[in-house]
Amino acid sequence: MRDSRLTKLAELLLTHSVTIKEKERVLIRGSVTAQPLITELIDGAYRLGAFPYVELIDEEVSKHLSMGCSREQLETQAAWMMKKYEDVDAVIVVIGEENDAELSDIPAEKHRIRGEIMKPATFFYVNNRRWVLLNYPTKGLAQKAGMSTRRFEDYLLDVCTVDYKKMHEAMQPLKALMDRTDKVRLVSPGTDLSFSIKDIPSVTCAGENNIPDGEVFTAPVKESVNGKISFNTPCPYHGTTFRNVTLTFKNGKIVEAVSDQTEKINQIFDTDEGSRFIGEFAIGVNPMIKEPMGDILFDEKICGSLHFTPGEAYEDADNGNRSSIHWDMVLIQRPEYGGGEIYFDDVLIRKDGLFVLRELEGLNPERLL
């Protein structure tokens, strides 16, 4: 794809997301299919007087490496990656997925070992470097979205370049409210879930770490989650998509998990001690993203949605949960998806996907467009 909007997107990533300055070093990790955007990022970095470095990734090559990888081999790779992240100021990751099931042949144990060994390097850059993650428009991603390639290119570039400054300002009242909230209750068809977010910081996301973006997240107090939640969107994980996922909690822990692949989903939740506890709760607000496509970078930002995340908590909103998984699962509460409510300290703040408190109305779709 050659499009002048790619230049605009590259500029957004460099100047807004990772705020690259002269003589700073930026690592661009990208799929070979994303070459047009990667070259724009290189040129843009040079215009800013920065030093770009590139690591190209091929899905098929990565699959072959993962099928036979050993712990010793991955430890060497993890050490290399840690050194790279230590040597740069920022990281831009561009995913150019052609087939979301490409990695589905990799045994679960290989995924587990890789996640465990690569976790320190990944969390080093997530917590210590400026970074951003995004998808590049490919035919595979367009097919997943149910769109023609050209239409999806237009869609992706539109949703990636919304007015993030305006979004950031509109998020501040929600952040302030979350920071002083104790009890949260979520109600939807098949869902009645309660938990505390007391004293856990909330974080606004308006184009800094993800593109597209549009969420405010925190984490539940680890052992406070009780009740049931049913997700009405696909839940992809390592090349496998789970549907009709319902989780039941007691004192923070998933005590029952069912889906169209119940045995397999429970194997994932048995990965480690933290896999059955929640590491994130977030509210999605991107006005341009309305329907699920089975790609979490888009789906977790859907307007009128929320996501609940088994696994690792972020250091910015830390409840102490540690795991090698971090699996965002999305529930849409707009009327066409069954509706629903969010309550903070027994006060209704959002109904059927729209904020009802005056100070939060700036986050409703018509106000952000």
Side-chain angles (χ1 to χ4, degrees), residues 158-195:
D158 285 342
V159 302
C160 286
T161 54
V162 298
D163 189 340
Y164 286 116
K165 182 178 179 180
K166 180 179 181 181
M167 181 185 289
H168 174 78
E169 293 172 353
M171 286 175 169
Q172 299 314 304
L174 178 57
K175 171 179 168 53
L177 178 58
M178 291 174 77
D179 285 341
R180 62 178 185 265
T181 292
D182 177 359
K183 182 182 177 182
V184 177
R185 185 183 178 202
L186 311 177
V187 180
S188 284
T191 296
D192 194 341
L193 193 73
S194 296
F195 52 92

Short mmCIF file of all heavy atoms in Angstrom, two decimals, residues 158-195:
data_model
loop_
_atom_site.label_atom_id
_atom_site.label_comp_id
_atom_site.label_asym_id
_atom_site.label_seq_id
_atom_site.Cartn_x
_atom_site.Cartn_y
_atom_site.Cartn_z
N ASP A 158 -8.30 5.61 9.07
CA ASP A 158 -9.23 6.54 9.70
C ASP A 158 -9.24 6.35 11.22
O ASP A 158 -9.18 7.33 11.98
CB ASP A 158 -10.65 6.36 9.15
CG ASP A 158 -10.80 6.94 7.75
OD1 ASP A 158 -9.96 7.77 7.37
OD2 ASP A 158 -11.76 6.57 7.07
N VAL A 159 -9.34 5.10 11.68
CA VAL A 159 -9.43 4.87 13.12
C VAL A 159 -8.10 5.14 13.82
O VAL A 159 -8.07 5.45 15.01
CB VAL A 159 -9.92 3.44 13.47
CG1 VAL A 159 -11.27 3.16 12.84
CG2 VAL A 159 -8.91 2.38 13.08
N CYS A 160 -7.01 5.02 13.08
CA CYS A 160 -5.70 5.24 13.69
C CYS A 160 -5.35 6.71 13.83
O CYS A 160 -4.44 7.07 14.59
CB CYS A 160 -4.60 4.54 12.88
SG CYS A 160 -4.58 2.75 13.08
N THR A 161 -6.03 7.57 13.10
CA THR A 161 -5.65 8.99 13.09
C THR A 161 -6.78 9.88 13.59
O THR A 161 -6.93 11.02 13.16
CB THR A 161 -5.22 9.43 11.68
OG1 THR A 161 -6.26 9.11 10.74
CG2 THR A 161 -3.95 8.71 11.26
N VAL A 162 -7.59 9.37 14.55
CA VAL A 162 -8.62 10.22 15.17
C VAL A 162 -7.92 11.29 16.01
O VAL A 162 -6.70 11.25 16.21
CB VAL A 162 -9.58 9.38 16.05
CG1 VAL A 162 -10.32 8.36 15.22
CG2 VAL A 162 -8.83 8.70 17.19
N ASP A 163 -8.70 12.23 16.53
CA ASP A 163 -8.14 13.33 17.31
C ASP A 163 -7.82 12.83 18.72
O ASP A 163 -8.66 12.90 19.63
CB ASP A 163 -9.13 14.49 17.35
CG ASP A 163 -8.53 15.76 17.96
OD1 ASP A 163 -7.52 15.65 18.68
OD2 ASP A 163 -9.09 16.84 17.73
N TYR A 164 -6.60 12.33 18.90
CA TYR A 164 -6.24 11.75 20.20
C TYR A 164 -6.05 12.81 21.27
O TYR A 164 -6.22 12.53 22.46
CB TYR A 164 -4.99 10.89 20.06
CG TYR A 164 -5.27 9.57 19.37
CD1 TYR A 164 -4.70 9.25 18.15
CD2 TYR A 164 -6.13 8.64 19.96
CE1 TYR A 164 -4.98 8.05 17.52
CE2 TYR A 164 -6.41 7.43 19.34
CZ TYR A 164 -5.83 7.15 18.11
OH TYR A 164 -6.11 5.95 17.49
N LYS A 165 -5.72 14.02 20.89
CA LYS A 165 -5.61 15.10 21.89
C LYS A 165 -6.99 15.37 22.50
O LYS A 165 -7.13 15.50 23.72
CB LYS A 165 -5.05 16.36 21.24
CG LYS A 165 -4.87 17.51 22.22
CD LYS A 165 -4.26 18.74 21.56
CE LYS A 165 -4.11 19.88 22.55
NZ LYS A 165 -3.52 21.09 21.91
N LYS A 166 -7.99 15.46 21.65
CA LYS A 166 -9.36 15.67 22.12
C LYS A 166 -9.81 14.51 23.00
O LYS A 166 -10.44 14.70 24.06
CB LYS A 166 -10.29 15.82 20.91
CG LYS A 166 -11.75 16.06 21.25
CD LYS A 166 -12.56 16.21 19.97
CE LYS A 166 -14.03 16.49 20.25
NZ LYS A 166 -14.82 16.62 18.99
N MET A 167 -9.48 13.28 22.58
CA MET A 167 -9.85 12.10 23.36
C MET A 167 -9.18 12.13 24.73
O MET A 167 -9.82 11.83 25.75
CB MET A 167 -9.44 10.83 22.60
CG MET A 167 -9.80 9.54 23.31
SD MET A 167 -9.18 8.08 22.42
CE MET A 167 -10.27 8.07 20.99
N HIS A 168 -7.91 12.49 24.77
CA HIS A 168 -7.18 12.54 26.03
C HIS A 168 -7.84 13.49 27.02
O HIS A 168 -8.01 13.17 28.20
CB HIS A 168 -5.73 12.97 25.78
CG HIS A 168 -4.94 13.18 27.03
ND1 HIS A 168 -4.42 12.13 27.77
CD2 HIS A 168 -4.59 14.31 27.69
CE1 HIS A 168 -3.78 12.62 28.82
NE2 HIS A 168 -3.87 13.93 28.80
N GLU A 169 -8.23 14.67 26.54
CA GLU A 169 -8.88 15.65 27.41
C GLU A 169 -10.22 15.14 27.92
O GLU A 169 -10.57 15.34 29.09
CB GLU A 169 -9.05 16.96 26.65
CG GLU A 169 -7.73 17.66 26.32
CD GLU A 169 -7.90 18.85 25.40
OE1 GLU A 169 -9.04 19.05 24.90
OE2 GLU A 169 -6.91 19.57 25.17
N ALA A 170 -10.98 14.46 27.04
CA ALA A 170 -12.29 13.95 27.44
C ALA A 170 -12.18 12.81 28.45
O ALA A 170 -13.14 12.55 29.20
CB ALA A 170 -13.07 13.49 26.21
N MET A 171 -11.04 12.14 28.49
CA MET A 171 -10.85 11.01 29.40
C MET A 171 -10.58 11.44 30.84
O MET A 171 -10.75 10.63 31.76
CB MET A 171 -9.68 10.15 28.93
CG MET A 171 -9.96 9.30 27.72
SD MET A 171 -8.45 8.44 27.19
CE MET A 171 -9.12 7.30 25.99
N GLN A 172 -10.16 12.66 31.04
CA GLN A 172 -9.72 13.06 32.38
C GLN A 172 -10.80 12.94 33.46
O GLN A 172 -10.52 12.49 34.57
CB GLN A 172 -9.13 14.48 32.34
CG GLN A 172 -7.91 14.60 31.43
CD GLN A 172 -6.90 13.48 31.61
OE1 GLN A 172 -6.41 13.26 32.72
NE2 GLN A 172 -6.58 12.78 30.53
N PRO A 173 -12.06 13.33 33.19
CA PRO A 173 -13.09 13.14 34.23
C PRO A 173 -13.32 11.66 34.58
O PRO A 173 -13.59 11.34 35.74
CB PRO A 173 -14.34 13.77 33.61
CG PRO A 173 -13.82 14.75 32.61
CD PRO A 173 -12.59 14.11 32.04
N LEU A 174 -13.23 10.76 33.57
CA LEU A 174 -13.39 9.34 33.86
C LEU A 174 -12.24 8.83 34.71
O LEU A 174 -12.44 8.07 35.65
CB LEU A 174 -13.50 8.54 32.56
CG LEU A 174 -13.63 7.01 32.73
CD1 LEU A 174 -14.83 6.65 33.61
CD2 LEU A 174 -13.72 6.33 31.37
N LYS A 175 -11.04 9.26 34.38
CA LYS A 175 -9.88 8.87 35.19
C LYS A 175 -10.05 9.33 36.64
O LYS A 175 -9.82 8.56 37.59
CB LYS A 175 -8.60 9.44 34.61
CG LYS A 175 -7.39 9.25 35.52
CD LYS A 175 -6.11 9.80 34.92
CE LYS A 175 -5.01 9.86 35.97
NZ LYS A 175 -4.78 8.58 36.68
N ALA A 176 -10.46 10.59 36.80
CA ALA A 176 -10.64 11.12 38.16
C ALA A 176 -11.68 10.33 38.93
O ALA A 176 -11.51 10.05 40.12
CB ALA A 176 -11.04 12.60 38.08
N LEU A 177 -12.78 9.95 38.24
CA LEU A 177 -13.83 9.18 38.89
C LEU A 177 -13.33 7.79 39.27
O LEU A 177 -13.59 7.30 40.39
CB LEU A 177 -15.05 9.08 37.98
CG LEU A 177 -16.24 8.26 38.48
CD1 LEU A 177 -16.75 8.81 39.82
CD2 LEU A 177 -17.35 8.21 37.45
N MET A 178 -12.61 7.13 38.36
CA MET A 178 -12.09 5.80 38.66
C MET A 178 -11.11 5.84 39.82
O MET A 178 -11.08 4.93 40.66
CB MET A 178 -11.44 5.20 37.41
CG MET A 178 -12.44 4.87 36.31
SD MET A 178 -11.69 4.31 34.76
CE MET A 178 -11.24 2.63 35.16
N ASP A 179 -10.32 6.90 39.90
CA ASP A 179 -9.32 7.00 40.97
C ASP A 179 -9.94 7.12 42.36
O ASP A 179 -9.29 6.79 43.35
CB ASP A 179 -8.39 8.19 40.72
CG ASP A 179 -7.38 7.93 39.62
OD1 ASP A 179 -7.14 6.74 39.29
OD2 ASP A 179 -6.82 8.91 39.07
N ARG A 180 -11.18 7.59 42.42
CA ARG A 180 -11.82 7.71 43.74
C ARG A 180 -12.92 6.66 43.97
O ARG A 180 -13.64 6.71 44.97
CB ARG A 180 -12.39 9.11 43.93
CG ARG A 180 -13.48 9.53 42.97
CD ARG A 180 -13.99 10.94 43.32
NE ARG A 180 -15.12 11.33 42.49
CZ ARG A 180 -15.02 12.06 41.38
NH1 ARG A 180 -13.82 12.46 40.97
NH2 ARG A 180 -16.10 12.38 40.68
N THR A 181 -13.02 5.69 43.05
CA THR A 181 -14.05 4.65 43.15
C THR A 181 -13.53 3.43 43.91
O THR A 181 -12.35 3.06 43.80
CB THR A 181 -14.50 4.22 41.74
OG1 THR A 181 -15.20 5.31 41.12
CG2 THR A 181 -15.43 3.00 41.79
N ASP A 182 -14.41 2.83 44.68
CA ASP A 182 -14.11 1.57 45.35
C ASP A 182 -14.78 0.42 44.59
O ASP A 182 -14.12 -0.33 43.88
CB ASP A 182 -14.61 1.62 46.81
CG ASP A 182 -14.41 0.33 47.57
OD1 ASP A 182 -13.89 -0.65 47.00
OD2 ASP A 182 -14.77 0.28 48.77
N LYS A 183 -16.09 0.33 44.65
CA LYS A 183 -16.80 -0.82 44.13
C LYS A 183 -17.27 -0.61 42.69
O LYS A 183 -17.84 0.43 42.36
CB LYS A 183 -18.01 -1.13 45.01
CG LYS A 183 -18.80 -2.36 44.58
CD LYS A 183 -20.02 -2.57 45.48
CE LYS A 183 -20.86 -3.75 45.01
NZ LYS A 183 -22.07 -3.92 45.86
N VAL A 184 -17.04 -1.61 41.84
CA VAL A 184 -17.53 -1.62 40.47
C VAL A 184 -18.48 -2.81 40.31
O VAL A 184 -18.22 -3.90 40.82
CB VAL A 184 -16.37 -1.76 39.45
CG1 VAL A 184 -16.91 -1.86 38.02
CG2 VAL A 184 -15.40 -0.60 39.59
N ARG A 185 -19.58 -2.57 39.60
CA ARG A 185 -20.50 -3.67 39.26
C ARG A 185 -20.80 -3.61 37.77
O ARG A 185 -21.11 -2.53 37.23
CB ARG A 185 -21.79 -3.57 40.06
CG ARG A 185 -22.72 -4.77 39.81
CD ARG A 185 -24.04 -4.63 40.56
NE ARG A 185 -24.93 -5.76 40.28
CZ ARG A 185 -26.25 -5.73 40.43
NH1 ARG A 185 -26.84 -4.63 40.89
NH2 ARG A 185 -26.98 -6.79 40.14
N LEU A 186 -20.71 -4.75 37.11
CA LEU A 186 -21.00 -4.88 35.69
C LEU A 186 -22.22 -5.77 35.53
O LEU A 186 -22.27 -6.88 36.10
CB LEU A 186 -19.81 -5.52 34.95
CG LEU A 186 -18.42 -4.92 35.20
CD1 LEU A 186 -17.36 -5.73 34.45
CD2 LEU A 186 -18.39 -3.45 34.80
N VAL A 187 -23.20 -5.30 34.75
CA VAL A 187 -24.43 -6.05 34.53
C VAL A 187 -24.73 -6.09 33.03
O VAL A 187 -24.76 -5.04 32.37
CB VAL A 187 -25.62 -5.44 35.28
CG1 VAL A 187 -26.89 -6.24 35.02
CG2 VAL A 187 -25.34 -5.36 36.78
N SER A 188 -24.93 -7.29 32.50
CA SER A 188 -25.31 -7.51 31.10
C SER A 188 -25.95 -8.89 31.03
O SER A 188 -25.91 -9.64 32.02
CB SER A 188 -24.08 -7.46 30.18
OG SER A 188 -23.64 -6.14 29.95
N PRO A 189 -26.55 -9.25 29.89
CA PRO A 189 -27.06 -10.62 29.77
C PRO A 189 -25.96 -11.65 30.07
O PRO A 189 -24.90 -11.64 29.48
CB PRO A 189 -27.50 -10.69 28.30
CG PRO A 189 -27.87 -9.28 27.96
CD PRO A 189 -26.88 -8.43 28.70
N GLY A 190 -26.22 -12.50 31.06
CA GLY A 190 -25.24 -13.50 31.45
C GLY A 190 -24.12 -12.97 32.31
O GLY A 190 -23.15 -13.69 32.60
N THR A 191 -24.21 -11.70 32.72
CA THR A 191 -23.14 -11.06 33.49
C THR A 191 -23.69 -10.33 34.71
O THR A 191 -24.61 -9.52 34.59
CB THR A 191 -22.38 -10.04 32.61
OG1 THR A 191 -21.73 -10.72 31.54
CG2 THR A 191 -21.35 -9.28 33.42
N ASP A 192 -23.13 -10.63 35.84
CA ASP A 192 -23.35 -9.86 37.06
C ASP A 192 -22.08 -10.04 37.89
O ASP A 192 -21.88 -11.07 38.54
CB ASP A 192 -24.57 -10.34 37.84
CG ASP A 192 -25.00 -9.33 38.91
OD1 ASP A 192 -24.16 -8.47 39.29
OD2 ASP A 192 -26.16 -9.40 39.36
N LEU A 193 -21.22 -9.04 37.82
CA LEU A 193 -19.87 -9.16 38.36
C LEU A 193 -19.56 -7.94 39.22
O LEU A 193 -19.83 -6.81 38.82
CB LEU A 193 -18.86 -9.25 37.21
CG LEU A 193 -17.44 -9.68 37.56
CD1 LEU A 193 -17.40 -11.18 37.87
CD2 LEU A 193 -16.50 -9.37 36.39
N SER A 194 -18.98 -8.18 40.38
CA SER A 194 -18.61 -7.08 41.28
C SER A 194 -17.15 -7.22 41.70
O SER A 194 -16.64 -8.35 41.85
CB SER A 194 -19.50 -7.08 42.53
OG SER A 194 -20.85 -6.84 42.19
N PHE A 195 -16.49 -6.08 41.89
CA PHE A 195 -15.10 -6.09 42.34
C PHE A 195 -14.74 -4.69 42.81
O PHE A 195 -15.48 -3.72 42.59
CB PHE A 195 -14.15 -6.53 41.22
CG PHE A 195 -14.29 -5.79 39.93
CD1 PHE A 195 -13.52 -4.66 39.66
CD2 PHE A 195 -15.19 -6.21 38.96
CE1 PHE A 195 -13.65 -3.97 38.46
CE2 PHE A 195 -15.34 -5.53 37.76
CZ PHE A 195 -14.56 -4.41 37.50
#
